């Protein structure tokens, strides 16, 4: 191991030491010393995704996608191609741990789990940076996605945590902390949040403008990014394709004025892929690429994910930018490199993360049993029990019983465009067959109802499990085409919220009323018929390598479900405002919607029941308000409850949401036991943005706190004075 360690470090070792490697200097001093030593060509090179300067011994590292696991493979072939034995080009995929999609991770309502997920990803990133089999090496991870899912038609809903800014902010902060680690000097990886800002339409995203006032900017759309920087410690962010109020985000003044100066992001701000091209050709903001490059650099954006080196040189020659402009833009890139330990002398660095992956006697991170158990647990905790009549679940099957498993996602785990390649996959069918072998029941299977096969299996079964949903990725060949109207993904918004296979569900239910719908999907559906007629419905997201085991743990009661919806599931597409209306006050999200939803924001059932006692005010000072209340598990099973606190403002002088989430806690309570749950509300979160004063102003008067199991299931209220 010692010899291997020496060899690996030699690959990064410099021929000499440099003054910027001096650990006794302040971070800012080290960055400035490095900046002075760079040539103009090296500075232009740093306008790309690379953080490295090979002449100075700084490794040229790239980036990884990491929304729900690192992508060193998957549908996008993120680790490139290789030649097989016959000379054919084949994907050079490498295995990485795959969790449920971000949409499913949001449904856990658990910052603790998100932080652990970030740590797993960071461990694997560091591992592959040290391994020769990884052609693509990166320590900047494109995650989390802090965008808000304001509309379920958004094609990239699968990438977000949900519609609520507070919940998204808490999960964003947690994942950032997991990715970056807790070392006082170094980051494990750098968390680069996507996509700033208000990027929730795919159709026309390259040229559309998301229009809304500064109050919504501050209180809604930018809030998760703000918290990711100021609380999570992220110093990296990607500008979105779209414009805000007519100005494309990659050149929007808010990058410099708000993100950098107000919030303190002194690190990376990058464009989205090919944004320079789109700035010129789609937004038509500039006549030439050189002009566009100059505008991006002057806006404080230091990485252009597009061909731009020649354009930068042309902009310099024409006087559109100066070398000092480039210095200002790339300074943050160098700061991130420093925090990752890349500016240290590799022979003497005290960075503990730099040694991950060098000891080949250790089990690979993605092969560790504790990681596989963790993925299984996360998958189970992400599952939302939408309906459960007649105590259909958990399943109780006698020996010799038959379970008919039906549907396209029963024996197929789909990895989305930002997935990697998991080391293994356990499908729902596989897990149910394992369960049947243990418990002594039979499992039959039909992927569809061809020639009435699914109906016939349903008639013969004791229970039917229908596994259906959406297909979450396409190929470059049909990038802007989804053959199913209710499917969506990057570049394509959904045109329908109707579940295509609900007809299959109806046929199967007619054959057997004991039909359970397992909705494997990246977003909500208007499943009104299923809600009315089926005894049980569960929802989970795509992509988890432990999808089957996680679901089986819930179906058979080893895990009591406690996932919660993170979007409002509407009953009808017509309940939504027009897609391009970004003013959520016109009836969008649980905060402003007027129609009764199919499933409210925060909805999710359990196999047990919980009662909420009288809340008590514990503290009310200038910084925070703390409320506690007893919550009792009144059922016969141990379980988790997600206690949610919403605020409303009966004395408000300006318009506020009907209610807005301001605290939550996922707590485990044993059957028959009572736990006192404490919920703390930051007084700053009881403020509104005053555009004239250009600051947040706290509401003075009475704040009514609504405490319950969802935004629609309020169990207790407490009014508190904020005067």
């Amino acid at each position: 191991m010692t010899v291997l360690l020496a060899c690996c470090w030699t690959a990064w070792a410099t021929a000499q030491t440099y003054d910027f490697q001096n650990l006794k200097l302040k971070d800012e001093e080290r960055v400035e010393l490095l900046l002075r030593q760079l040539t103009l060509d090296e500075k232009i090179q740093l306008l790309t995704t690379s953080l490295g300067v090979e002449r100075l011994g700084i490794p040229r590292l790239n980036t990884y996608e990491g929304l729900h696991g690192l992508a060193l493979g998957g549908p996008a072939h993120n680790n490139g191609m290789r030649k097989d034995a016959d000379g054919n080009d084949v994907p050079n995929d490498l295995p990485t741990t795959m969790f449920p999609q971000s949409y499913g991770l949001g449904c856990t309502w658990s910052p603790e789990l998100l932080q652990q997920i970030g740590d797993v990803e960071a461990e694997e990133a560091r591992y592959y940076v040290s391994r020769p089999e990884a052609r693509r090496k990166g320590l900047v991870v494109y995650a989390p996605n802090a965008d808000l899912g304001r509309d379920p038609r958004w094609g990239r809903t699968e990438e977000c945590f949900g519609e609520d800014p507070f919940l998204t902010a808490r999960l964003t902060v947690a994942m950032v902390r997991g990715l970056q680690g807790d070392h006082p000097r170094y980051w494990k990886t750098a968390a680069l949040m996507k996509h700033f800002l208000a990027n929730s339409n795919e159709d026309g995203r390259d040229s559309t403008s998301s229009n809304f006032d500064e109050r919504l900017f501050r209180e809604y759309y930018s809030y998760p990014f703000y918290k990711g920087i100021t609380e999570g410690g992220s110093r990296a962010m990607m500008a979105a394709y779209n414009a805000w109020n007519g100005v494309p985000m990659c050149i929007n003044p808010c990058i410099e004025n708000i993100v950098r100066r107000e919030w303190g992001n002194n690190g990376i701000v990058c464009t989205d892929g090919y944004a320079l091209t789109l700035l010129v050709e789609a937004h038509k903001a500039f006549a030439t690429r050189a002009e566009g490059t100059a505008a991006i650099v002057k806006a404080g954006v230091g990485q252009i994910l597009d061909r731009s080196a020649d354009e930068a040189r042309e902009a310099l020659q024409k006087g559109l930018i100066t070398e000092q402009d480039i210095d200002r833009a790339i300074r943050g890139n160098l700061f991130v490199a420093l925090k990752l330990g890349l500016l240290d002398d590799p022979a003497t660095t005290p960075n503990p993360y730099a040694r991950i992956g060098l000891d080949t006697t250790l089990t690979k991170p993605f092969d560790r049993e504790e990681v596989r158990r963790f993925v299984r647990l996360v998958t189970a905790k992400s599952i939302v029990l939408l309906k459960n009549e007649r105590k259909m679940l958990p399943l109780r099957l006698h020996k010799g019983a038959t379970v008919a498993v039906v549907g396209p996602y029963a024996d197929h785990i789909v990895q989305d465009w930002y997935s990697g390649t998991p080391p293994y996959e356990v499908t729902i069918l596989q897990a149910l067959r394992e369960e049947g072998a243990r418990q002594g029941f039979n499992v039959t299977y039909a992927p569809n109802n061809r020639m009435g096969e699914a109906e016939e299996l349903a008639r013969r079964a004791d229970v039917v499990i229908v596994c259906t949903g959406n297909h979450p990725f396409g190929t470059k060949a049909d990038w802007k085409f989804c053959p199913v109207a209710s499917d969506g993904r990057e570049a394509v918004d959904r045109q329908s919220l109707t579940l295509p296979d609900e007809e299959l569900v109806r046929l199967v239910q007619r054959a057997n009323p004991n039909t359970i719908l397992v909705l494997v999907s990246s977003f909500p559906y208007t499943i009104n018929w299923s809600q009315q007629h089926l005894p049980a419905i569960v929802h989970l997201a795509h992509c988890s390598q432990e999808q089957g085991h996680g679901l089986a743990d819930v179906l058979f009661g080893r895990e009591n479900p406690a996932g919660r919806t993170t979007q409002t599931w509407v009953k009808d597409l017509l309940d939504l405002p027009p897609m391009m209306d970004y003013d959520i006050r016109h009836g969008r999200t649980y905060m402003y919607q007027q129609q009764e939803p199919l499933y409210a924001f925060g909805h999710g059932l359990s196999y047990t029941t919980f009662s909420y006692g009288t809340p008590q005010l514990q503290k009310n000072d200038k910084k925070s308000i703390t409320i506690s209340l007893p919550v009792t598990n009144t059922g016969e099973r141990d379980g988790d409850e997600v206690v949610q606190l919403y605020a409303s403002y009966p004395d408000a002088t300006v318009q506020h949401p009907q209610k807005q989430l301001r605290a939550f806690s996922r707590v485990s309570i044993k059957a028959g036991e009572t736990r006192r749950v404490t919920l703390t509300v930051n007084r700053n979160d009881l403020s509104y943005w005053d555009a004239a004063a250009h600051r947040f102003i706290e509401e003075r008067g009475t704040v009514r706190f609504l405490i319950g199991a969802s935004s629609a299931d309020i169990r207790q209220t407490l009014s508190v004075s904020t005067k």
Side-chain angles (χ1 to χ4, degrees):
M1 182 265 185
T2 304
V3 174
L4 175 64
L5 181 66
C7 291
C8 288
W9 280 113
T10 300
W12 277 17
T14 56
Q16 64 183 89
T17 58
Y18 298 94
D19 50 6
F20 62 78
Q21 295 174 333
N22 186 349
L23 300 180
K24 295 180 180 179
L25 298 177
K26 294 181 179 179
D27 291 348
E28 295 78 8
E29 294 175 308
R30 295 179 67 190
V31 168
E32 290 305 317
L33 286 170
L34 172 56
L35 197 57
R36 292 173 197 168
Q37 296 191 43
L38 296 175
T39 67
L40 180 58
D41 282 344
E42 288 167 342
K43 292 176 181 180
I44 291 174
Q45 171 62 36
L46 285 165
L47 285 173
T48 68
T49 57
S50 172
L51 292 180
V53 184
E54 292 173 329
R55 178 179 63 88
L56 301 176
I58 304 170
R60 287 184 60 175
L61 297 182
N62 210 291
T63 58
Y64 290 145
E65 296 287 352
L67 292 179
H68 55 91
L70 291 185
L72 271 83
H77 308 315
N78 289 287
N79 196 45
M81 308 295 285
R82 62 177 175 81
K83 298 289 186 182
D84 64 11
D86 297 323
N88 301 312
D89 288 329
V90 295
N92 191 40
D93 293 352
L94 296 175
T96 51
T97 302
M98 285 295 109
F99 294 92
Q101 291 173 307
S102 297
Y103 194 71
L105 299 181
C107 293
T108 67
W109 285 60
S110 175
E112 295 78 16
L113 290 180
L114 266 294
Q115 186 162 344
Q116 293 178 63
I117 290 165
D119 183 67
V120 169
E121 291 192 21
E123 185 81 8
E124 294 185 7
R126 282 285 179 176
Y127 171 82
Y128 273 124
V129 162
S130 300
R131 307 307 306 160
E133 60 266 30
R135 294 183 181 177
R136 186 183 184 98
K137 299 178 185 290
L139 290 177
V140 176
V141 179
Y142 289 159
N145 191 331
D147 289 326
L148 292 169
R150 65 177 180 101
D151 193 303
R153 288 170 291 187
W154 180 31
R156 296 180 84 169
T157 296
E158 64 194 34
E159 298 183 25
C160 78
F161 292 134
E163 73 184 24
D164 181 74
F166 183 85
L167 174 63
T168 297
R170 300 321 312 156
L171 300 179
T172 294
V173 166
M175 192 167 188
V176 167
R177 288 174 175 169
L179 285 165
Q180 299 195 166
D182 57 4
H183 193 276
R185 180 193 289 269
Y186 297 104
W187 293 340
K188 204 169 187 178
T189 60
L192 189 149
M193 298 181 292
K194 304 197 300 185
H195 309 81
F196 186 80
L197 169 92
N199 179 74
S200 55
N201 65 279
E202 294 304 294
D203 297 340
R205 64 179 179 167
D206 57 2
S207 56
T208 56
S209 180
S210 305
N211 299 331
F212 50 88
D213 59 27
E214 189 179 2
R215 185 176 173 194
L216 280 180
F217 174 95
R218 298 283 185 166
E219 296 180 18
Y220 188 71
Y221 289 105
S222 77
Y223 182 85
F225 293 93
Y226 165 67
K227 289 295 184 179
I229 294 171
T230 58
E231 289 189 26
S234 170
R235 292 295 182 268
M237 171 188 293
M238 178 182 288
Y241 288 122
N242 57 281
W244 172 41
N245 292 347
V247 181
M249 290 309 305
C250 64
I251 59 170
N252 200 294
C254 71
I255 297 290
E256 183 66 35
N257 298 335
I258 299 176
V259 173
R260 291 204 182 276
R261 293 179 185 173
E262 286 190 32
W263 298 350
N265 180 12
N266 61 334
I268 295 171
V269 178
C270 69
T271 72
D272 207 334
Y274 304 104
L276 171 58
T277 299
L278 298 176
L279 183 65
V280 175
E281 297 180 4
H283 282 288
K284 301 188 184 304
F286 300 96
T288 67
R289 294 175 63 90
E291 291 173 281
T293 300
I296 290 171
V297 169
K298 285 187 173 182
V301 176
Q303 286 187 347
I304 302 174
L305 310 192
D306 199 346
R307 177 175 57 82
S308 60
D310 290 343
E311 289 82 351
R313 292 186 180 92
E314 182 182 346
L316 284 164
Q317 292 168 359
K318 292 183 176 180
L320 301 175
I321 52 171
T322 65
E323 186 172 350
Q324 289 69 39
D325 291 327
I326 295 178
D327 288 351
R328 282 192 295 272
I330 66 172
R331 185 176 281 110
N333 306 358
L334 303 181
F335 173 76
V336 169
L338 180 145
K339 296 300 291 183
L340 292 169
L342 304 182
L343 304 195
D344 291 3
D345 182 341
T348 60
T349 179
N351 179 7
Y353 301 135
R355 290 165 176 78
I356 294 173
L358 296 177
D359 188 346
T360 57
T361 66
L362 299 177
T363 305
K364 298 173 183 178
F366 44 84
D367 283 337
R368 293 171 187 165
E369 186 58 34
E370 64 269 24
V371 171
R372 297 185 175 197
R373 287 196 302 268
F374 179 60
V375 179
R376 182 170 179 164
L377 178 67
V378 169
T379 305
K381 288 186 177 293
S382 74
I383 292 173
V384 183
L385 181 60
L386 295 171
K387 181 182 180 182
N388 192 26
E389 283 187 351
R390 300 188 276 116
K391 294 185 178 180
M392 185 71 188
L393 295 175
L395 289 172
R396 297 167 293 275
L397 298 171
H398 59 80
K399 286 190 176 182
T402 297
V403 176
V405 183
V406 173
Y409 299 116
D411 199 32
H412 182 40
I413 296 177
V414 181
Q415 297 300 332
D416 64 35
W417 190 251
Y418 290 104
S419 290
T421 299
Y424 67 95
E425 292 180 328
V426 180
T427 68
I428 295 170
L429 179 63
Q430 179 182 340
L432 291 175
R433 283 174 171 165
E434 291 175 6
E435 203 71 38
R438 281 194 298 270
Q439 296 192 32
F441 62 81
N442 304 307
V443 176
T444 58
Y445 166 61
N448 51 51
N449 197 35
R450 186 177 180 182
M451 299 177 67
E453 183 180 8
E455 291 177 272
E456 184 59 30
L457 292 183
R459 290 188 190 96
R460 298 176 182 177
D462 295 276
V463 174
V464 185
I465 300 174
V466 182
C467 307
T468 189
N470 70 293
H471 196 289
F473 84 91
T475 65
K476 283 293 185 182
D478 60 354
W479 189 241
K480 293 189 176 182
F481 174 68
C482 274
V484 179
S486 59
D487 276 0
R489 51 172 165 73
E490 182 171 0
V492 187
D493 285 321
R494 305 170 71 198
Q495 302 302 308
S496 168
L497 302 184
T498 302
L499 180 66
D501 278 341
E502 198 160 38
E503 289 294 333
L504 169 64
V505 177
R506 293 174 64 183
L507 289 169
V508 169
Q509 189 271 347
R510 183 178 64 179
N512 189 329
N514 294 327
T515 295
I516 299 165
L517 173 59
V518 174
L519 188 59
V520 189
S521 75
S522 310
F523 26 60
Y525 284 94
T526 52
I527 49 172
N528 299 291
W529 185 93
S530 293
Q531 170 60 24
Q532 182 179 353
H533 293 91
L534 299 183
I537 306 171
V538 299
H539 173 265
L540 71 162
H542 289 281
C543 298
S544 171
Q545 65 192 38
E546 285 282 356
Q547 184 178 96
H549 284 151
L551 178 63
D553 288 343
V554 167
L555 293 181
F556 291 94
R558 287 186 295 273
E559 289 288 338
N560 195 339
R564 298 292 188 268
T565 58
T566 62
Q567 276 187 305
T568 302
W569 291 48
V570 298
K571 290 184 176 181
D572 194 292
L573 181 68
L574 298 180
D575 291 345
L576 296 170
M579 183 64 174
M580 289 308 298
D581 185 352
Y582 271 79
D583 189 339
I584 64 169
R585 292 167 294 212
H586 295 160
R588 199 183 294 282
T589 81
Y590 77 95
M591 292 185 284
Y592 293 100
Q593 184 167 341
Q594 299 302 314
Q595 295 88 349
E596 181 183 3
L598 179 63
Y599 305 117
F601 173 84
H603 169 75
L605 304 177
S606 172
Y607 296 153
T608 188
T609 54
F610 298 91
S611 67
Y612 288 53
T614 303
Q616 295 180 339
L617 180 64
Q618 299 292 324
K619 183 179 75 171
N620 185 4
D621 59 26
K622 293 182 179 180
K623 292 185 177 180
S624 62
I625 296 171
T626 300
I627 295 168
S628 71
L629 75 161
V631 179
T632 302
N633 184 336
T634 55
E636 298 178 352
R637 289 177 174 268
D638 300 348
D640 289 2
E641 175 72 339
V642 181
V643 182
Q644 303 164 41
L645 181 148
Y646 298 83
S648 65
Y649 308 90
D651 298 337
T653 55
V654 298
Q655 183 187 14
H656 283 278
Q658 299 164 137
K659 59 175 76 79
Q660 53 188 161
L661 184 70
R662 284 297 172 256
F664 63 91
S665 180
R666 179 167 179 154
V667 292
S668 298
I669 308 176
K670 293 185 179 298
E673 290 190 356
T674 299
R675 282 192 60 180
R676 180 159 287 275
V677 178
T678 300
L679 301 164
T680 298
V681 180
N682 190 316
R683 291 288 286 261
N684 291 333
D685 287 330
L686 301 176
S687 304
Y688 66 92
W689 180 259
D690 186 301
H694 199 71
R695 64 184 177 90
F696 280 99
I697 297 177
E698 185 178 349
E699 277 287 4
R700 295 298 182 181
T702 299
V703 176
R704 190 165 180 252
F705 292 114
L706 316 170
I707 306 169
S710 81
S711 61
D713 184 7
I714 302 302
R715 310 287 184 86
Q716 296 286 350
T717 63
L718 180 68
S719 294
V720 176
S721 174
T722 59
K723 293 181 180 179

